[in-house]
Amino acid sequence: MIPLEEIKQISITSPSKIVMLIIDGLGGLPDAKTGKTELETAHTPNLDEIASKGVCGLIDPISPGITPGSGPGHLALFGYDPIRFTIGRGVLEALGIGFELKGNDVAARGNFCTVDEKGLITDRRAGRITTDKCVELCALLSQIKVQEVQSFILPVKEHRFSFVLRGKGLHDELSDTDPQKTGVAPHPAKHTKSTAKHTADIINDFIKKASDILARQHPANMILLRGFSKLPNIPSMNEIYKLTPAAIAVYPMYKGLAKLVGMKIFSADGDIKEELEILTDCFGEHDFFYIHVKRADSAGEDGDFERKVKVIEQVDSALPQLLNLKPEVIIVTGDHSTPAVLKGHSWHPVPLLLYSQWCRPDDSKEFSESVCVSGGLGRIPATDIMPLAMANALKLTKFGA
Amino acid sequence: MIPLEEIKQISITSPSKIVMLIIDGLGGLPDAKTGKTELETAHTPNLDEIASKGVCGLIDPISPGITPGSGPGHLALFGYDPIRFTIGRGVLEALGIGFELKGNDVAARGNFCTVDEKGLITDRRAGRITTDKCVELCALLSQIKVQEVQSFILPVKEHRFSFVLRGKGLHDELSDTDPQKTGVAPHPAKHTKSTAKHTADIINDFIKKASDILARQHPANMILLRGFSKLPNIPSMNEIYKLTPAAIAVYPMYKGLAKLVGMKIFSADGDIKEELEILTDCFGEHDFFYIHVKRADSAGEDGDFERKVKVIEQVDSALPQLLNLKPEVIIVTGDHSTPAVLKGHSWHPVPLLLYSQWCRPDDSKEFSESVCVSGGLGRIPATDIMPLAMANALKLTKFGA
């Protein structure tokens, strides 16, 4: 990919508008009986119509064979090299619950776990306590005072919580306390750079106090922390592309990811129809729109082929509202594949559809994995989408004389 | 791309010959009525015949979405990473008029401009004075003496000129004097590295004297300089590929670019037929031939779809002379796309055709954007062309044991 520093030199502002519609987990695998993927099974006259006028291809979010997490998958879509710009587990967990991380906060992913009388871990997930119990225990831990810094203990789901420290001089060069196995004691947090020693001391002090408080809370009688991290130092989309980008999403993690790169967040809590209503309302105020559709991925994760097909059909039937706005560039793709048969994210390349007046149309007559294989865009890294979108919106000047 | 240092290790000399025919601005966009691009509209039996025997693909000169200037577009064709090896605006302007830059010359692109009585710029292009006027003013400025260095003020076209300083201890780490807007005074040249302070002083002295000389020459009563640069430090094609390369071109800029990478220059001043006559004459003396056809790009820039079609047809009808020479490898492509409908360079990938006895032929039966989409070479960076050409000429040995 071309370095962001170079894109920054050649990007210009113009009235044209780009809509990037992300159907989370879009790519799939064929159903054993029909030989068709979820997208190929879905009846999608609108997507097929855009594909006929536009150009198709396949994207690799990270690299062929690599299954992306949501963080790197989205960073790549927004044009950021997902290998250079990494989002720590702790940060992602905090974004996922909508916690407003600040620049110097250190965040970690927390687990309630079970230890025996010798302090050795017997269950890294404390028997997957209920979320209600997790909320109760987080409230207990929130009373802990540690030297001169604020701590936030935020329930996530079952045994999971988000741990955030806020204060001066905090560093995230710290090793996990979670040994990732049972039969051993939790590790103390250790600094991997000397500047983080003070932060390690604070965390170990916290863990000691948490251990005392939880002593009688079997099975959740201890905590494990991993993925200590700060917000990545990432240039905003405005800085690089000179866009005023907006995000329309339901789930906190995607709003958090969009916020990381400087998008204005519009919260939805319904389906694609509501998201497109929001798009219509704010269409005049922005020139880039990221719209996130979560439910295709959820259906894929649940192994529910039919439900994923239905989500894609719902998106398709809502599309006329988007088309009526006549954005200069429309991108439809996903942040990764989530084949229902695999019940999880996968490494398969993701169908990509680009429409603009200036695209070079290919022969694609429908939007599907099979057709995208021979699409005019070829198979490209996801990080190429933003330069292509910008070019098609006539927002990039010439590189070099 | 594989680093040039690695290519250097595995390249060998052999009698086989490579011809790289560059149809400038080759790639296009479909005509609204016919749905066919310039290349698809052109009647090209010879190109189609080579495509049938050879293998096709698409190249990205820089990266998907990026519109190349001629400098980076050509460097990529010659196998040089166009992001690593950059050619400054000043150098390109000097190359464009055929000025023989030396290694330590500092060149800049110059504009005659108009300033008001307060010295503020009112027109960055001095009302686009005639080229005759530009010649006259350059002659005046050529009389300026600056401390111990030679200065060259060379007319280009209308308000544009090329400015070159030659002497000891000159450096190009200098900011533009052109503020790129009106209503402000020209900036002084400022050094961005301390070693360039002396050069900045010389340039500012020159500008002061130029300003005095031009005082009564309204509207061209001041100059602006930008893109201070030296020749890039670039290894020759002989050094990397062990080739003895030749360039056959009409326009100075392309001869200059070819010279930069160590080609022997053969000047033509006519059409492709004359260029192929030259090729025939010098075919025994070289093993790599870069042939440049400018007029397809010029037609595209003028928005003249039909003329671009005709230029492509002329190239096609001249091809038998090239084929009769039986070069082992033939490459046909462009340095970028110039769709007539866009009237300028564009980001669209460029059709690529490679023929050799050892290529793995694909199903392509004609040379066109649509066919190249599914060509056997796929969509590749332009920097991959040289390794492919070398390989097909059996001029590359194994990488690693």
Side-chain angles (χ1 to χ4, degrees), chain A residues 247-251 255 265-271 274-276 278 292:
Chain A
I248 305 170
V250 174
Y251 284 69
K255 291 187 263 189
I265 310 302
F266 292 88
S267 290
D269 48 28
D271 59 9
E274 188 207 345
E275 292 186 312
L276 294 184
I278 295 173
H292 183 255

Side-chain angles (χ1 to χ4, degrees), chain B residues 191-259:
Chain B
H191 56 280
T192 56
K193 258 177 110 174
S194 59
T195 42
K197 183 176 183 313
H198 178 60
T199 314
D201 291 343
I202 292 172
I203 290 164
N204 290 324
D205 180 27
F206 180 92
I207 293 172
K208 173 72 182 67
K209 288 170 177 163
S211 164
D212 293 345
I213 289 177
L214 298 174
R216 293 177 193 187
Q217 297 286 346
H218 193 278
N221 60 359
M222 186 53 178
I223 61 169
L224 299 173
L225 300 174
R226 61 188 162 105
F228 291 100
S229 42
K230 290 188 173 193
L231 283 174
N233 188 3
I234 196 163
S236 74
M237 287 182 81
N238 180 263
E239 208 176 311
I240 298 161
Y241 304 111
K242 303 186 182 76
L243 295 168
T244 54
I248 306 170
V250 175
Y251 283 68
M253 185 188 293
Y254 307 95
K255 292 188 264 189
L257 286 166
K259 201 166 179 180

Side-chain angles (χ1 to χ4, degrees), chain A residues 47-304:
Chain A
L47 285 168
D48 297 345
E49 169 80 12
I50 315 176
S52 301
K53 294 182 184 165
V55 57
C56 290
L58 287 172
I59 54 162
D60 287 296
I62 316 295
S63 188
I66 306 303
T67 296
S70 300
H74 271 81
L75 282 190
L77 291 174
F78 302 152
Y80 299 85
D81 178 352
I83 295 169
R84 172 175 167 201
F85 295 102
T86 54
I87 302 176
R89 194 74 193 79
V91 167
L92 203 70
E93 200 76 17
L95 294 179
I97 52 167
F99 184 80
E100 296 256 342
L101 277 181
K102 297 193 175 178
N104 283 313
D105 291 355
V106 168
R109 151 80 185 259
N111 270 20
F112 287 104
C113 69
T114 312
V115 292
D116 63 17
E117 64 284 0
K118 290 178 191 158
L120 307 181
I121 302 167
T122 58
D123 184 343
R124 286 182 53 252
R125 297 180 186 83
R128 291 193 185 269
I129 51 169
T130 62
T131 304
D132 284 350
K133 186 71 185 173
C134 180
V135 169
E136 181 194 323
L137 295 176
C138 286
L140 280 179
L141 297 190
S142 292
Q143 298 163 19
I144 295 174
K145 301 277 174 228
V146 277
Q147 331 155 28
E148 295 164 23
V149 301
Q150 260 184 295
S151 58
F152 302 88
I153 320 300
L154 308 143
V156 177
K157 195 181 172 188
E158 298 173 344
H159 57 286
R160 289 158 52 192
F161 63 90
S162 172
F163 172 86
V164 179
L165 288 183
R166 177 170 295 165
K168 282 187 182 166
L170 295 175
H171 293 268
D172 63 353
E173 294 88 354
L174 299 160
S175 61
D176 295 349
T177 77
D178 184 348
Q180 299 275 355
K181 58 183 174 186
T182 56
V184 297
H187 299 312
K190 278 185 204 152
H191 57 279
T192 56
K193 254 177 114 173
S194 60
T195 42
K197 182 173 183 313
H198 178 60
T199 314
D201 291 344
I202 292 172
I203 290 165
N204 290 324
D205 180 28
F206 181 92
I207 293 172
K208 174 72 182 66
K209 289 170 177 163
S211 165
D212 293 345
I213 289 177
L214 297 174
R216 295 178 191 183
Q217 296 287 346
H218 192 280
N221 61 0
M222 185 51 176
I223 61 169
L224 298 172
L225 300 175
R226 60 188 162 105
F228 291 100
S229 43
K230 289 188 174 191
L231 283 175
N233 188 1
I234 197 165
S236 73
M237 288 183 81
N238 180 264
E239 212 176 308
I240 298 161
Y241 305 111
K242 302 186 183 75
L243 295 168
T244 53
I248 305 170
V250 174
Y251 284 69
M253 185 190 292
Y254 308 95
K255 291 187 263 189
L257 286 165
K259 202 168 179 180
L260 257 188
V261 295
M263 294 194 205
K264 179 162 178 189
I265 310 302
F266 292 88
S267 290
D269 48 28
D271 59 9
I272 178 72
K273 281 196 177 182
E274 188 207 345
E275 292 186 312
L276 294 184
E277 288 294 338
I278 295 173
L279 174 69
T280 307
D281 289 344
C282 70
F283 198 67
E285 309 304 316
H286 295 271
D287 50 14
F288 177 90
F289 305 87
Y290 153 65
I291 304 172
H292 183 255
V293 176
K294 174 68 180 170
R295 290 166 52 228
D297 177 58
S298 314
E301 297 252 11
D302 291 346
D304 193 335

